[in-house]
Amino acid sequence: MDLMVLLFNEFETLDVFGPVEILGKLEDISKIIFVSVAGGLSVSTQQVPVLTDDLCSLPVPSEYILLIPGGIGTRKEMNNDNLLDLIRRLAAKAKFILTVCTGSLLLAKTGLLDHQKATTNKRVYDWVTLQAPEVKWVKQARWVKSGNIYTSSGVSAGMDMALGFIADSYGMAKAEEIAKGIEYLWNRNSGEDVFSELYEPE
Amino acid sequence: MDLMVLLFNEFETLDVFGPVEILGKLEDISKIIFVSVAGGLSVSTQQVPVLTDDLCSLPVPSEYILLIPGGIGTRKEMNNDNLLDLIRRLAAKAKFILTVCTGSLLLAKTGLLDHQKATTNKRVYDWVTLQAPEVKWVKQARWVKSGNIYTSSGVSAGMDMALGFIADSYGMAKAEEIAKGIEYLWNRNSGEDVFSELYEPE
């Protein structure tokens, strides 16, 4: 299995590298591929310059997991037809699709989340859900599984979701082994989400 | 203030990008600079290709925090005089030095941790501490502050340390605001470390 990571400028750093750290520990993952619309450098909001391939320079993947991060860049990219087209192409052949934070909004904009349960960042929850009313948004969730699609709440929730995905697909013992290996205190209950309440208007 | 991140091949992904995510939220941080001995791409163990500067191509930093990650690459780099020399040069002018996981071993090899309290990864604790007996290693710690040097336990502990550093330097409210913003459940007690016991021989 490969891991295909979609990047764009102003992605949120930890949305990508939390799950990459965790999924990268799976013996089952061989190549980790970073892909963007134009290739070259994609730079995160926290100024991390990552070298990416475009679709033409991409190594031919075997089966793969598609990871879609969020970040401030999604506000622009949600209206970028080239990016949405890239997501559709990659999603069509993905075995699993994992989104973090407002990455679920990008996926929603392709129509692939229509009538599916999903979650997203809680700080901008009202805005996101307004942009994609066809999705069955779940507010009180650290992450949501809907078929082969996993969507997570904001930023660091992506790590908990990645471990939840591993528990589902590779067994709980593997998820616990990886969490221990990176000395991470896993929030393992997908339905427990203190942040959905922290951001409620007072 | 700038953030100067030392990279080398086979650094551990989250050692770098957990703290970069968190420190990058400080309004006080302007440039985030990735530096390596030779410049060009540094590739993490999880295959993340990050573009770096060498010392000659480096933008002139203002005051900076130096971040040193760990990872399997430290086993080679701890004997690389060019890397240790680069650390000495960068450390000499750093306002603060933060290390994650076996990054403390790299710093220890420069002599800068001699007779200082520090911590490191718990899975390889016995091996690390054997390599650097002049350091006052603290086993039961999520992170340790010693003057302007912060050292953390394994991988994800770097995020807790980064928030602890922010609490010390910018106030608890700022640390809590950043943790909430990235929906992170901060383990805020530097002395609480379940992993030091999890890795005890049975």
Side-chain angles (χ1 to χ4, degrees):
Chain A
M1 185 100 83
D2 291 343
L3 173 62
M4 181 87 74
V5 184
L6 178 81
L7 293 187
F8 44 84
N9 284 324
E10 297 194 85
F11 69 87
E12 186 72 17
T13 303
L14 191 60
D15 287 18
V16 170
F17 298 115
V20 163
E21 170 75 32
I22 287 165
L23 298 168
K25 295 286 181 199
L26 287 169
E27 293 83 0
D28 192 32
I29 295 285
S30 42
K31 284 199 296 288
I32 301 183
I33 302 163
F34 296 88
V35 59
S36 67
V37 168
L41 288 178
S42 286
V43 182
S44 79
T45 298
Q46 290 76 28
Q47 306 177 41
V48 182
V50 182
L51 189 62
T52 68
D53 290 304
D54 61 20
L55 259 188
C56 301
S57 61
L58 208 60
V60 178
S62 62
E63 271 193 329
Y64 61 88
I65 301 164
L66 174 62
L67 175 68
I68 305 175
I72 197 71
T74 58
R75 301 217 169 207
K76 183 176 166 197
E77 300 299 339
M78 62 183 265
N79 298 311
N80 177 352
D81 287 337
N82 291 329
L83 185 91
L84 298 181
D85 184 56
L86 177 59
I87 293 176
R88 277 190 202 94
R89 283 163 182 255
L90 293 173
K93 293 186 178 172
K95 187 162 184 196
F96 296 98
I97 302 171
L98 277 57
T99 77
V100 180
C101 198
T102 50
S104 55
L105 178 55
L106 294 180
L107 188 61
K109 284 291 179 183
T110 66
L112 288 165
L113 275 180
D114 285 4
H115 318 300
Q116 305 275 333
K117 285 188 184 173
T119 195
T120 189
N121 182 305
K122 295 302 144 49
R123 192 166 53 81
V124 294
Y125 185 84
D126 292 343
W127 179 80
V128 169
T129 55
L130 204 64
Q131 305 303 313
E134 302 301 319
V135 179
K136 292 182 185 165
W137 293 106
V138 181
K139 185 159 189 179
Q140 173 79 25
R142 190 75 175 154
W143 74 91
V144 168
K145 176 186 189 311
S146 183
N148 71 333
I149 299 176
Y150 287 70
T151 54
S152 92
S153 194
V155 196
S156 72
M159 294 187 286
D160 295 325
M161 174 189 70
L163 288 165
F165 162 75
I166 289 170
D168 292 345
S169 296
Y170 298 86
M172 183 59 81
K174 176 54 73 179
E176 285 175 345
E177 176 197 318
I178 291 175
K180 180 181 169 186
I182 63 166
E183 302 188 16
Y184 181 64
L185 291 147
W186 178 26
N187 308 292
R188 69 184 64 205
N189 184 344
S190 65
E192 197 174 300
D193 179 19
V194 297
F195 297 99
S196 66
E197 287 152 17
L198 278 178
Y199 283 115
E200 279 295 331
E202 284 169 14
Chain B
M1 184 100 83
D2 291 343
L3 173 62
M4 180 87 72
V5 184
L6 178 80
L7 293 187
F8 43 85
N9 285 324
E10 297 194 84
F11 69 88
E12 187 71 19
T13 303
L14 191 61
D15 287 17
V16 170
F17 299 115
V20 163
E21 170 74 32
I22 287 165
L23 298 168
K25 296 285 182 202
L26 287 169
E27 294 83 0
D28 193 31
I29 294 286
S30 41
K31 285 199 296 288
I32 301 183
I33 301 163
F34 296 88
V35 60
S36 67
V37 168
L41 289 178
S42 287
V43 182
S44 79
T45 298
Q46 291 75 29
Q47 307 178 38
V48 182
V50 181
L51 189 61
T52 68
D53 289 304
D54 61 20
L55 258 188
C56 301
S57 61
L58 207 61
V60 178
S62 62
E63 270 193 331
Y64 61 88
I65 302 164
L66 174 61
L67 175 68
I68 304 175
I72 197 70
T74 58
R75 301 217 170 206
K76 183 176 165 196
E77 300 299 339
M78 64 183 263
N79 298 311
N80 177 351
D81 287 337
N82 292 328
L83 185 92
L84 298 182
D85 184 57
L86 178 59
I87 293 176
R88 277 189 203 96
R89 283 163 181 256
L90 294 173
K93 294 186 178 173
K95 187 163 185 195
F96 297 98
I97 302 170
L98 277 58
T99 76
V100 180
C101 198
T102 49
S104 55
L105 178 55
L106 294 180
L107 188 61
K109 284 290 179 184
T110 67
L112 287 164
L113 275 180
D114 285 2
H115 318 298
Q116 306 274 334
K117 285 188 184 173
T119 196
T120 189
N121 181 305
K122 296 302 145 51
R123 193 165 53 80
V124 293
Y125 185 83
D126 292 342
W127 178 80
V128 168
T129 54
L130 203 65
Q131 305 302 314
E134 301 301 318
V135 180
K136 291 182 186 164
W137 294 106
V138 181
K139 184 159 190 179
Q140 173 79 24
R142 191 75 175 152
W143 74 90
V144 168
K145 176 186 189 310
S146 183
N148 73 332
I149 300 176
Y150 287 70
T151 53
S152 92
S153 194
V155 195
S156 72
M159 294 186 287
D160 295 326
M161 174 190 70
L163 289 164
F165 162 75
I166 289 168
D168 292 344
S169 297
Y170 299 85
M172 184 58 83
K174 177 53 73 179
E176 285 175 345
E177 177 197 317
I178 291 176
K180 180 181 170 186
I182 62 167
E183 301 187 15
Y184 180 65
L185 291 146
W186 177 26
N187 308 293
R188 68 184 64 205
N189 183 344
S190 65
E192 197 173 301
D193 179 20
V194 297
F195 296 99
S196 67
E197 287 152 19
L198 277 178
Y199 282 115
E200 279 295 330
E202 285 170 13

